[in-house]
Amino acid sequence: MHITNCRRLFVAMILLAMAVPGLGAESTAPLVIAHRGASGYLPEHTLEAKSLAYGMRPDFIEQDLVLSRDGHLIVMHDIYLDQVTDVAKVFPDRARGDGHFYTIDFTLAELKQLQVTQVFEGPIGTATPKYPGRFPLWKSSFELSTFEEEIELIQGLNQSLGYDIGIYPEIKKPWFHHREGQDIAQKTLAALKRYGYSDRSSGVFLQSFDAEELQRIDRKLMPAMDMDLPLVQLVASTSWGEKRVQQAGHWVNYDYDWMLTPGGLEKIASYAEGIGPWAMMLVKTGTNGIADNGLTKSAQSQGLEVHPYTFRADSAQIPEAPGDFNGLLCFFVGQLRVDGLFTDHPDKVIDFLEKEADRCEGAPP
Ligand code: G3P
Ligand code: CA
């Protein structure tokens, strides 16, 4: 990877010292991936949240991508505008029959009229923040941005500050975009290539929850475009409905159960460089809280990097055991030895890696 900043090297040295002698264990600092920017502090996926994340010096900044009606890549988490914008006030008549306002039904010019806020729950009139204690709802002024605007921000800061921070885009719901007559994977690759992200040394990981689309990207789209990017297979629980497929004329949830089996990991390793599981998929409940379920090592033995999501420092988001954010990080970094972490709080993870990682269980006395 291109990540060579001093902080990562320093942490790598600490973690190298933690490797158990005689087991041939190799260790390196996990990558810090700013999940939707510094989304623990500012409304997710805004350029402000990305700028704040940049100043914290993670290794990568994440972009979730969906398409507008006129084919622009918009950086936002959901295919709906409902829970992060005031669309219900600005365009009250534009919801579909299911009550959702779809990004793909709006042009970029229309999307730019919307105010963005922290993620909220409930109807806009009685909105409550999903994460109480974060940046207050509707304060200040934030807008949606395009993938190009965000790349130019990060590349511009790489030039003006001299760091080398990468991007980590996620193609959101390719099955939905295909159903709407749009090829979001092709558009994402074209944008990446235009901005110089075309090979493994470019400072990019490309991620998706869609295994078939990642295989299409690996075997068809990238060779045709003379590109070779590292791909990450995100792993969901089937019940979340991240991917929907047609079965006997009905739309049903795609079955993810195959992915974390030995055969599934071997198959993923044939087209991807890593997996991005929900963090709790890597653990089982032990006598003292969480314990290793062996999946991290199984994936790594197939040559896959393991980048779990999402590490949030809000007190309500931390499992009862170990009970505090650094304890949780200790487990995933010190014991599981994951290769990267998606976090809403990049500053706290970086601080932990620099100051606390050597005190985790397994570290020398
Ligand atoms: O892409 C890693 C992580 O972001 C996956 O979950 O739903 O936050 O996109 P989500
Ligand atoms: Ca994501």
Side-chain angles (χ1 to χ4, degrees):
M1 281 304 307
H2 73 308
I3 303 302
T4 56
N5 66 55
C6 293
R7 197 255 314 154
R8 192 165 185 231
L9 284 176
F10 173 69
V11 177
M13 286 165 62
I14 292 173
L15 292 175
L16 192 60
M18 293 163 58
V20 180
L23 293 181
E26 286 180 21
S27 186
T28 188
L31 298 170
V32 178
I33 306 148
H35 182 249
R36 313 183 198 173
S39 54
Y41 305 102
L42 281 167
E44 67 182 37
H45 282 316
T46 58
L47 291 182
E48 290 83 353
K50 303 307 172 80
S51 300
L52 184 61
Y54 191 100
M56 296 171 176
R57 299 190 63 180
D59 298 296
F60 289 85
I61 298 176
E62 193 210 20
Q63 303 78 32
D64 292 314
L65 299 174
V66 303
L67 282 173
S68 69
R69 191 170 87 194
D70 45 352
H72 291 277
L73 288 161
I74 308 297
V75 185
M76 55 180 297
H77 179 258
D78 294 311
I79 55 174
Y80 316 127
L81 295 154
D82 314 11
Q83 304 311 142
V84 289
T85 77
D86 59 353
V87 64
K89 280 190 177 154
V90 181
F91 299 105
D93 306 325
R94 299 276 292 276
R96 290 193 185 184
D98 61 5
H100 288 300
F101 296 84
Y102 287 71
T103 309
I104 204 160
D105 291 339
F106 295 80
T107 64
L108 177 59
E110 290 171 331
L111 294 171
K112 284 287 188 183
Q113 296 173 41
L114 303 178
Q115 182 174 358
V116 174
T117 189
Q118 275 293 0
V119 187
F120 60 87
E121 293 177 324
I124 194 163
T126 56
T128 54
K130 180 170 181 184
Y131 301 104
R134 291 192 179 185
F135 199 88
L137 294 183
W138 309 116
K139 297 297 182 186
S140 192
S141 173
F142 304 96
E143 64 177 36
L144 294 168
S145 58
T146 65
F147 189 32
E148 286 84 351
E149 286 170 330
E150 180 162 336
I151 290 175
E152 289 181 12
L153 174 76
I154 293 169
Q155 292 192 342
L157 288 167
N158 278 343
Q159 179 173 315
S160 60
L161 282 163
Y163 309 153
D164 190 14
I165 292 176
I167 62 171
Y168 206 129
E170 178 189 343
I171 298 169
K172 279 289 177 194
K173 296 190 166 55
W175 61 270
F176 166 80
H177 286 91
H178 282 303
R179 203 176 74 182
E180 298 289 315
Q182 297 268 12
D183 188 344
I184 188 170
Q186 205 282 331
K187 281 195 158 72
T188 301
L189 289 172
L192 287 168
K193 188 164 187 182
R194 262 198 320 281
Y195 282 93
Y197 299 99
S198 56
D199 61 39
R200 284 157 193 271
S201 66
S202 320
V204 60
F205 280 101
L206 181 59
Q207 47 167 341
S208 179
F209 278 106
D210 193 316
E212 286 65 36
E213 196 72 353
L214 283 178
Q215 289 168 67
R216 175 174 168 254
I217 289 168
D218 182 59
R219 291 165 191 166
K220 196 168 162 197
L221 297 184
M222 288 204 298
M225 297 173 76
D226 194 23
M227 297 174 77
D228 182 23
L229 305 180
L231 305 179
V232 173
Q233 174 68 63
L234 297 174
V235 187
S237 168
T238 299
S239 63
W240 299 346
E242 273 296 335
K243 176 171 174 172
R244 304 267 291 164
V245 288
Q246 276 207 304
Q247 249 175 38
H250 296 287
W251 286 94
V252 298
N253 289 355
Y254 178 85
D255 190 342
Y256 278 89
D257 288 353
W258 64 271
M259 284 191 183
L260 296 179
T261 64
L265 292 168
E266 188 180 356
K267 180 178 166 69
I268 292 170
S270 72
Y271 62 85
E273 277 58 42
I275 57 167
W278 179 46
M280 291 302 125
M281 290 173 174
L282 302 177
V283 306
K284 59 185 178 186
T285 305
T287 45
N288 295 320
I290 52 178
D292 186 358
N293 69 8
L295 274 168
T296 306
K297 296 287 175 299
S298 296
Q300 289 169 337
S301 71
Q302 294 287 344
L304 291 164
E305 291 199 26
V306 179
H307 298 174
Y309 60 88
T310 300
F311 292 85
R312 297 183 165 107
D314 318 72
S315 54
Q317 302 298 318
I318 298 169
E320 206 171 304
D324 67 290
F325 194 51
N326 279 3
L328 185 68
L329 294 174
C330 248
F331 180 78
F332 280 85
V333 173
Q335 291 189 46
L336 297 193
R337 306 278 172 90
V338 299
D339 305 287
L341 308 98
F342 287 90
T343 177
D344 289 4
H345 298 91
D347 58 332
K348 293 191 192 312
V349 173
I350 290 167
D351 194 59
F352 160 81
L353 291 173
E354 289 179 352
K355 297 177 187 159
E356 301 285 333
D358 60 340
R359 283 184 235 161
C360 295
E361 191 179 325

